[in-house]
Amino acid sequence: MTQCCINPSILSADFVNLEAELQKISNADSVHVDVMDNHFVPNLTLGLPVVQRIQAVSPVPLDAHLMISDADRWAPGYADAGVASVTFHAEASIAPVKLARELRSRGSKAGMALRPATAVEPYLDMLSELDMLLIMTVEPGFGGQGFLDLTLPKIRRARAAIEGSGVNVALQVDGGITEETIVRAAEAGANVFVAGSAVYGAADPSEAIDRLRKAASV
């Protein structure tokens, strides 16, 4: 299994002082950037121009999570901008294999996300086309939600499929990750963890990252 990675979500950061907020998490593996369009999810955050500026000042690579409609059209632009990893939602893509290949061809790692109620089985045959599979552990759209334990069996099935396929695909979880829930997610097979409130709600975000990494590695 790929090593444990902690990717703090800036959805919980202070957007007015974003550059300073990014420096607080310089010990993270990546910065998780939530792009929402108020169509695919009922919230509006930021778009490509802001992501480009974040990339220019971030001390670690960007992990862009596109919670947007018409991913086939818009996701490649993030790869063109040099974002290290671009994750689109399977529910928002008409041709996910084609899109994953396009992201890779433009220099980004390709990730695909599934909502909590979306079955993983229809997508297992395309694992070789992906660098990361994201299992949402809350409904996408807002930070601060509680971890949905009902997603744990799906995480286990995804991990078993990845191991059985022999491909090197990271298994990411996003939503409600704390020092407590990260243990359950890791035991189920996840190895990349998105944490927003648990990091930026802490007195010392850097120390919070270290604690999460330790909890996931037990």
Side-chain angles (χ1 to χ4, degrees):
M1 190 188 301
T2 306
Q3 67 175 5
C4 165
C5 296
I6 306 297
N7 296 5
S9 169
I10 58 170
L11 192 61
S12 299
D14 178 2
F15 275 37
V16 174
N17 300 294
L18 198 49
E19 184 172 359
E21 294 284 81
L22 290 167
Q23 295 304 317
K24 294 178 182 179
I25 58 169
S26 60
N27 61 325
D29 296 282
S30 292
V31 176
H32 190 82
V33 182
D34 292 298
V35 178
M36 306 181 193
D37 64 358
N38 201 30
H39 293 282
F40 182 71
V41 292
N43 196 5
L44 182 66
T45 54
L46 42 81
L48 184 55
V50 177
V51 172
Q52 289 173 312
R53 287 297 300 137
I54 292 170
Q55 181 168 263
V57 299
S58 175
V60 293
L62 266 58
D63 167 29
H65 178 193
L66 308 184
M67 287 169 271
I68 62 175
S69 300
D70 199 4
D72 303 270
R73 177 183 179 186
W74 298 111
Y78 290 82
D80 287 342
V83 174
S85 178
V86 179
T87 298
F88 62 91
H89 268 264
E91 304 92 348
S93 173
I94 295 173
V97 172
K98 179 177 181 292
L99 178 54
R101 289 180 177 181
E102 190 164 0
L103 293 173
R104 282 176 157 183
S105 72
R106 298 186 185 204
S108 290
K109 291 184 177 180
M112 186 174 68
L114 303 175
R115 288 177 179 264
T118 300
V120 69
E121 284 76 13
Y123 302 98
L124 295 181
D125 286 343
M126 64 173 290
L127 284 175
S128 62
E129 305 290 344
L130 300 172
D131 298 290
M132 183 167 67
L133 179 64
L134 166 54
I135 305 294
M136 291 298 300
T137 45
V138 299
E139 288 295 339
F142 294 92
Q145 300 183 64
F147 183 89
L148 294 174
D149 282 285
L150 60 83
T151 61
L152 290 171
K154 183 162 70 169
I155 297 169
R156 293 189 186 98
R157 294 195 300 274
R159 170 51 61 191
I162 291 170
E163 296 295 327
S165 70
V167 296
N168 186 24
V169 178
L171 183 54
Q172 186 180 71
V173 288
D174 179 4
I177 296 299
T178 65
E179 286 183 60
E180 176 191 2
T181 60
I182 199 171
V183 175
R184 301 202 293 277
E187 288 175 344
N191 63 311
V192 182
F193 307 91
V194 177
S197 304
V199 171
Y200 279 111
D204 187 329
S206 178
E207 286 185 3
I209 291 169
D210 290 338
R211 291 196 302 270
L212 286 168
R213 188 175 284 117
K214 181 179 180 180
S217 302
V218 172

